[in-house]
Amino acid sequence: MSKAEKKAAKLAGVRKMDVDPRDAVRTPGPERTSPATMDASAETEYMIDVFGHIKAMFETATASAFPLLANSPVALVLSTKPGAHYQNNSAMSLYSKSKDFPADQFPADSPMDAAMRLCEHLPSSDVVEKAEAVKGSTIAVIVSTKYLTRQMNLLFQLGARPPKVKEEVVVVDYSSPNIAKQMHVGHLRSTIIGDCISNLFEFIGHKVHRINHVGDWGTQFGMLIAHLKDEYPDFETNSPPIADLQAFYQGSKKRFDADEEFKTRAWNEVVLLQNGDPVVTKAWQLICAASRKEFDVIYNRLNIVGLREMGESFYQSMMVDVIKHFEERGLVTIEDGRKLVFLEGKEVPITIEKSNGSYTYDTSDLACLKYRLDTLKADSVIYVVDAGQSLHFELVWGAARKAEIYDETKNRIEHVAFGLVLGEDKKKLKTRSGDTIKLSELLDEAVELSSKVVDDKQATLEDDAKLTAQEREDAINAIAYGAVKYADLKSNRTADYVFSFDRMLDFRGNTAVYLLYAYTRIMSIARKAGVSEADMAADTTPIVLEHPKEIKLALHLLRFPEIIEQFVAELNPHVVCGYMFQASQYFTEFYENCRCTEVVDRKVVSYNMSRIKLTRAVAVVLAKCFDILGMKYVQRM
Ligand code: ARG
């Protein structure tokens, strides 16, 4: 395991829980899974977050054992001690508060005593078999095998279900390239991360608006339209064959910078466009359509579906009102003909109207936020945009709060920022020949390299084990696009990310290829034993958990809802990646220690149905994670 992978595994495993970020978004009150409200009839529809459940048990215990410290944080973590599953480390810090109280008022006289007291006050629950104060005054928690067994059987029968959360309307703003410009690697990151976050929200039952906030408005369209009129004078009747939009953009820019007469015409076109002139609008639409065609090629290849285009132009008519909204509240300062909004603690104001009467990126984002909250009735609005735009969002939201467009106690508005994509030289990503990367070429290269990966593997197989042409193609695509997506998703999104085909196509370590192969291996166990889907479904043998490696694997699989909650709270897909990687490692440990099938002369002569079902449960969880990450997977590779 590399250092980064260890870190990822650690993140998905033991976490510092002093501040549990999920508390911020967990539904308060009865909605939350707690010992008192855990509803057994719901366990078919939802999965219970074991971690959250135990934590809630300790919160209850803390409040009842130490009423004066009722709201002290519960430091629950996955246990590193053999024999224990979770451990609560809060007794020491609880006891340290004793100095704030008169001696006879504090109910414990040592950290160990505090730990024991917590155990005594722990409500009963069928999740926990035993909670015991051990050396170091931590509390070792053992999850009931009976409980794990029941949940594993449900997991096998019903698949991976989400944890129970309150339904919400969520807007995810992602991809968002700019018309007539190239979609670059930053937009690729936004597309991959945004798609994944949208999948996550849909999975937990939210209503999701996937919105492509394309840059399709602004003064640059003046020069593009003027150029179009010159280059394709009959554009109204003959759709212009703009083959290379980038060249078209550069051509118009060159003229705009060099030719005063052209510049004046360009400005004129902007005014006409903003006033809805039909001919100019038609020209604008043609340019947008040409761009859209190029974007769609990338979206199709990446299997991005349901992304709805609502670009800056969509808010054109709403911007007038938004400015009025600010003016009515006396929030506008006029300086040199510009309308500005100043914010406390910020040196730079935002410009909501330029001196020539045109609007800005800020104005459109203000109108857009208002629309998303008021019209789409969004509870949460998530912007998946590069970290370079942090200040822009801070200012826009600051202004929106000031103008009472947005109330942070009611809505979750978040900038899911991500770092740059760098080449292996840690500089801006370039092609081998040093040119700026075209996304389609980057994806071509991924496909080419993945074909080699698949074919090399095929060359080692007997003829009867080889893939059909269709299977080969599916495998190549799953690996190619999966590798690009997974490499992005598995890294901590806020950091810059180094794009390396060598690394993303490596079989060793936390990569898409590794996981995709792991999945096919797991799926092949039942197949090789001659157990079909139907056999498995009809068979009544339950999964039984006996071997410690079976229990370890089951406990990890049942962390699925916890991981989902963590992902919802942090919006960082790498927690899912770390979880999957860990699952495949625990699977390997289990498989090496627990015999699933007995093989004689390369033929399966008997099998253990409980374990075959357990392998299937692993596959079911991995498959759900692939779905959330937006990755395709295949049964054979
Ligand atoms: N088009 C912008 C860009 O390429 C990103 C837009 C992000 N979304 C938003 N609501 N501002 O930089």
Side-chain angles (χ1 to χ4, degrees):
M1 238 204 280
S2 74
K3 230 167 137 189
E5 278 151 12
K6 273 193 196 138
K7 217 171 115 196
K10 202 168 155 206
L11 267 166
V14 183
R15 214 150 19 99
K16 281 215 168 61
M17 291 311 302
D18 288 352
V19 182
D20 183 347
R22 298 172 312 167
D23 286 342
V25 288
R26 272 205 190 127
T27 315
E31 217 76 49
R32 178 167 167 181
T33 315
S34 77
T37 61
M38 198 176 79
D39 168 10
S41 66
E43 72 184 6
T44 51
E45 207 176 324
Y46 305 104
M47 277 175 84
I48 283 154
D49 165 9
V50 174
F51 176 89
H53 177 82
I54 299 175
K55 193 166 171 231
M57 285 171 65
F58 276 110
E59 278 161 5
T60 307
T62 308
S64 110
F66 300 93
L68 296 170
L69 300 170
N71 294 320
S72 301
V74 170
L76 187 72
V77 293
L78 273 182
S79 182
T80 46
K81 296 192 167 60
H85 298 144
Y86 290 94
Q87 68 189 52
N88 178 351
N89 297 332
S90 355
M92 189 71 88
S93 75
L94 273 175
Y95 179 71
S96 73
K97 305 266 165 56
S98 64
K99 61 180 181 330
D100 303 338
F101 298 93
D104 58 337
Q105 267 179 37
F106 198 78
D109 52 24
S110 69
M112 190 62 177
D113 193 25
M116 278 156 56
R117 219 179 133 72
L118 279 177
C119 291
E120 280 160 25
H121 285 257
L122 208 59
S124 74
S125 154
D126 61 358
V127 175
V128 171
E129 187 157 306
K130 196 164 145 197
E132 189 183 22
V134 296
K135 226 177 101 215
S137 67
T138 67
I139 300 168
V141 181
I142 298 176
V143 178
S144 142
T145 309
K146 199 169 145 211
Y147 175 80
L148 286 180
T149 306
R150 189 174 80 232
Q151 297 308 320
M152 279 310 295
N153 281 288
L154 285 172
L155 179 57
F156 169 77
Q157 286 158 17
L158 305 170
R161 286 101 59 222
K164 188 171 182 175
V165 288
K166 202 176 126 226
E167 222 179 289
E168 276 191 9
V169 177
V170 184
V171 167
V172 187
D173 174 326
Y174 68 98
S175 196
S176 311
N178 299 315
I179 297 291
K181 290 195 192 157
Q182 255 204 62
M183 191 168 174
H184 55 67
V185 280
H187 298 124
L188 177 70
R189 276 205 97 173
S190 169
T191 307
I192 293 171
I193 299 171
D195 185 54
C196 172
I197 289 176
S198 306
N199 295 339
L200 166 78
F201 283 133
E202 258 160 24
F203 173 62
I204 61 174
H206 289 352
K207 159 129 191 69
V208 182
H209 295 280
R210 301 164 177 255
I211 295 183
N212 199 358
H213 190 90
V214 294
D216 63 354
W217 206 246
T219 44
Q220 78 274 25
F221 280 92
M223 65 179 197
L224 289 165
I225 292 164
H227 193 51
L228 183 86
K229 283 184 167 174
D230 291 349
E231 294 286 302
Y232 305 100
D234 61 344
F235 73 91
E236 279 184 90
T237 45
N238 278 329
S239 250
I242 313 175
D244 188 343
L245 253 182
Q246 275 69 55
F248 183 82
Y249 183 91
Q250 280 153 11
S252 71
K253 177 92 175 80
K254 219 172 172 173
R255 291 180 68 191
F256 186 82
D257 291 340
D259 180 346
E260 278 308 315
E261 189 260 342
F262 181 81
K263 204 178 210 161
T264 316
R265 270 175 57 211
W267 281 118
N268 225 353
E269 302 293 359
V270 176
V271 177
L272 289 171
L273 178 66
Q274 289 188 340
N275 292 328
D277 175 275
V279 176
V280 173
T281 302
K282 167 97 194 196
W284 170 76
Q285 281 166 344
L286 288 169
I287 294 166
C288 291
S291 260
R292 208 170 284 137
K293 223 161 98 192
E294 283 190 8
F295 300 154
D296 282 344
V297 172
I298 304 290
Y299 295 144
N300 285 335
R301 295 185 71 173
L302 294 172
N303 192 30
I304 302 300
V305 282
L307 181 58
R308 188 156 39 120
E309 187 183 311
M310 281 168 107
E312 291 171 29
S313 67
F314 181 80
Y315 305 98
Q316 171 67 7
S317 63
M318 299 172 218
M319 291 197 255
V320 186
D321 287 339
V322 116
I323 296 199
K324 231 199 264 152
H325 184 96
F326 276 87
E327 283 172 338
E328 279 163 9
R329 282 163 182 75
L331 301 173
V332 176
T333 309
I334 300 194
E335 240 177 60
D336 304 330
R338 290 175 305 150
K339 293 186 181 166
L340 310 175
V341 178
F342 282 90
L343 298 166
E344 290 75 44
K346 299 274 180 228
E347 265 177 44
V348 266
I350 65 168
T351 304
I352 57 172
E353 194 178 309
K354 293 193 213 162
S355 53
N356 64 7
S358 62
Y359 305 134
T360 67
Y361 186 45
D362 296 334
T363 331
S364 67
D365 258 325
L366 282 167
C368 164
L369 179 58
K370 193 164 183 319
Y371 174 81
R372 289 169 178 179
L373 295 172
D374 295 352
T375 308
L376 297 180
K377 304 262 180 281
D379 296 294
S380 305
V381 186
I382 309 296
Y383 295 81
V384 188
V385 186
D386 67 89
Q389 297 197 28
S390 299
L391 181 62
H392 163 72
F393 287 116
E394 253 175 64
L395 295 176
V396 167
W397 301 340
R401 266 197 298 269
K402 205 165 169 177
E404 290 160 55
I405 291 173
Y406 145 58
D407 175 352
E408 58 192 329
T409 63
K410 295 205 177 83
N411 298 99
R412 176 184 191 185
I413 305 237
E414 215 168 299
H415 177 196
V416 169
F418 52 81
L420 301 171
V421 182
L422 304 175
E424 286 179 82
D425 55 1
K426 304 273 162 71
K427 296 205 185 94
K428 205 174 152 199
L429 187 63
K430 292 251 156 77
T431 59
R432 295 214 169 122
S433 54
D435 301 327
T436 37
I437 289 264
K438 272 215 168 80
L439 289 191
S440 56
E441 285 164 15
L442 183 108
L443 296 176
D444 288 343
E445 195 171 348
V447 172
E448 193 186 308
L449 294 169
S450 302
S451 316
K452 198 169 152 9
V453 168
V454 170
D455 292 342
D456 285 353
K457 195 94 178 173
Q458 289 292 298
T460 66
L461 300 177
E462 308 268 340
D463 271 350
D464 61 347
K466 285 201 167 55
L467 300 177
T468 64
Q470 184 64 53
E471 282 175 326
R472 174 179 173 272
E473 197 186 314
D474 291 346
I476 291 170
N477 287 333
I479 294 180
Y481 301 114
V484 171
K485 288 184 181 185
Y486 192 82
D488 189 328
L489 296 170
K490 81 157 189 186
S491 52
N492 192 349
R493 66 171 160 75
T494 49
D496 289 346
Y497 137 66
V498 176
F499 192 98
S500 155
F501 277 123
D502 287 346
R503 228 179 308 154
M504 65 177 82
L505 292 171
D506 192 341
F507 279 94
R508 292 151 306 168
N510 189 3
T511 63
V513 226
Y514 169 81
L515 286 171
L516 288 167
Y517 267 101
Y519 177 80
T520 59
R521 261 198 310 276
I522 296 168
M523 288 300 281
S524 74
I525 296 168
R527 197 171 56 235
K528 287 188 180 146
V531 179
S532 69
E533 294 300 316
D535 295 340
M536 233 185 287
D539 188 285
T540 54
T541 315
I543 296 177
V544 283
L545 303 170
E546 281 162 353
H547 195 284
K549 298 290 183 195
E550 288 177 324
I551 294 176
K552 186 174 175 188
L553 178 60
L555 198 69
H556 184 73
L557 294 178
L558 294 174
R559 287 188 63 212
F560 177 76
E562 177 199 332
I563 298 300
I564 293 295
E565 286 197 5
Q566 195 187 339
F567 183 16
V568 172
E570 298 170 7
L571 299 180
N572 202 338
H574 81 253
V575 299
V576 177
C577 301
Y579 171 76
M580 292 172 84
F581 185 56
Q582 193 83 297
S584 68
Q585 290 187 316
Y586 288 167
F587 169 79
T588 305
E589 279 182 31
F590 150 79
Y591 196 64
E592 281 166 358
N593 288 280
C594 302
R595 193 183 293 171
C596 294
T597 56
E598 197 179 334
V599 182
V600 176
D601 288 339
R602 300 180 57 202
K603 281 223 149 44
V604 177
V605 293
S606 71
Y607 55 80
N608 177 327
M609 188 52 121
S610 160
R611 287 181 179 162
I612 295 264
K613 287 186 175 178
L614 185 54
T615 68
R616 182 48 52 95
V618 181
V620 159
V621 170
L622 285 181
K624 185 55 78 189
C625 293
F626 282 135
D627 288 341
I628 291 173
L629 298 186
M631 285 170 66
K632 290 209 167 134
Y633 50 94
V634 291
Q635 304 305 325
R636 269 163 39 88
M637 288 204 319

